[in-house]
Amino acid sequence: AQSVTQPDIHITVSEGASLELRCNYSYGATPYLFWYVQSPGQGLQLLLKYFSGDTLVQGIKGFEAEFKRSQSSFNLRKPSVHWSDAAEYFCAVLNTGTASKLTFGTGTRLQVTL
Amino acid sequence: NAGVMQNPRHLVRRRGQEARLRCSPMKGHSHVYWYRQLPEEGLKFMVYLQKENIIDESGMPKERFSAEFPKEGPSILRIQQVVRGDSAAYFCASSPQGGGNTIYFGEGSWLTVV
């Protein structure tokens, strides 16, 4: 069965600093990977996705993620964090079998200090 | 272009009452998913439906929970005889077809059982 691990529960960075959120997945086939962001009391917004092709994918709000098959990782990065980026970030892998469903990591809560 | 619409956004029920959560998928989407987010946890898959068909309900509790997606109208997640442990955010998502397409989430319905 597929699984997603986000080893960092909580990260604090200063505004303007770079950010990397870690995500490791376990999936038997070629993974379809996603990063979502959730602000408090809100739904999930898709930041970016990887299906195939270029392993460095660009998303919204200046985020990017790199798929590394050898490390089973799909880490999210941003060169310069803004205070408005404070939120919860979820990595997910899609089961593309007979029942398409996302398996989520437990999330990383990002705090941005001014 | 409306996104995934969920209502109510917030619902308070007393123990033993029934809760009904509605979800209208994005226009052109025929696949609906329900996920539950317990406090301080990631999202967990509950059920995957197509029109008039339950495709995968492996994440649904065996009792008190049911879901439907009728030919006409929204998808309904129904929780009978609610208990305090049912308090959570329930997210609906939709996609145009299963197997590899992006899944878009609604804003969620927050259920509080008192």
Side-chain angles (χ1 to χ4, degrees), chain A residues 66-87:
Chain A
E66 186 170 12
F67 169 60
K68 292 185 177 180
R69 185 186 297 276
S70 61
Q71 298 177 18
S72 297
S73 69
F74 188 55
N75 294 350
L76 182 71
R77 300 195 294 248
K78 186 169 184 177
S80 178
V81 169
H82 189 261
W83 64 266
S84 60
D85 293 325

Side-chain angles (χ1 to χ4, degrees), chain B residues 29-49:
Chain B
H29 287 194
S30 58
H31 295 234
V32 165
Y33 314 80
W34 286 93
Y35 288 78
R36 178 166 64 173
Q37 185 179 34
L38 294 167
E40 306 301 320
E41 292 188 19
L43 282 80
K44 299 280 194 245
F45 169 81
M46 298 182 76
V47 62
Y48 165 36
L49 311 105

Side-chain angles (χ1 to χ4, degrees), chain B residues 9-84:
Chain B
R9 291 293 315 280
H10 297 275
L11 182 64
V12 179
R13 284 288 178 265
R14 296 186 185 279
R15 281 177 293 172
Q17 291 184 317
E18 178 179 286
R20 283 192 180 217
L21 309 178
R22 293 175 208 75
C23 170
S24 295
M26 286 181 71
K27 188 175 181 180
H29 287 194
S30 58
H31 295 234
V32 165
Y33 314 80
W34 286 93
Y35 288 78
R36 178 166 64 173
Q37 185 179 34
L38 294 167
E40 306 301 320
E41 292 188 19
L43 282 80
K44 299 280 194 245
F45 169 81
M46 298 182 76
V47 62
Y48 165 36
L49 311 105
Q50 297 176 23
K51 288 280 187 183
E52 300 182 285
N53 227 355
I54 295 175
I55 307 301
D56 181 351
E57 56 182 346
S58 58
M60 288 279 270
K62 293 289 183 270
E63 298 176 347
R64 302 186 297 107
F65 285 71
S66 62
E68 63 176 8
F69 188 17
K71 188 176 180 181
E72 301 290 338
S75 175
I76 307 284
L77 179 67
R78 183 180 176 205
I79 312 171
Q80 295 178 291
Q81 299 175 316
V82 296
V83 301
R84 288 245 171 90

Side-chain angles (χ1 to χ4, degrees), chain A residues 16-76:
Chain A
S18 63
L19 171 70
E20 182 169 26
L21 302 182
R22 296 184 290 166
C23 171
N24 293 96
Y25 68 90
S26 172
Y27 188 64
T30 299
Y32 289 9
L33 296 159
F34 302 80
W35 275 99
Y36 288 88
V37 61
Q38 183 184 31
S39 297
Q42 301 296 313
L44 278 76
Q45 182 180 23
L46 178 66
L47 284 177
L48 47 79
K49 61 189 178 186
Y50 170 78
F51 284 177
S52 64
D54 193 347
T55 56
L56 184 64
V57 293
Q58 302 297 321
I60 62 171
K61 303 185 179 186
F63 285 92
E64 66 179 27
E66 186 170 12
F67 169 60
K68 292 185 177 180
R69 185 186 297 276
S70 61
Q71 298 177 18
S72 297
S73 69
F74 188 55
N75 294 350
L76 182 71

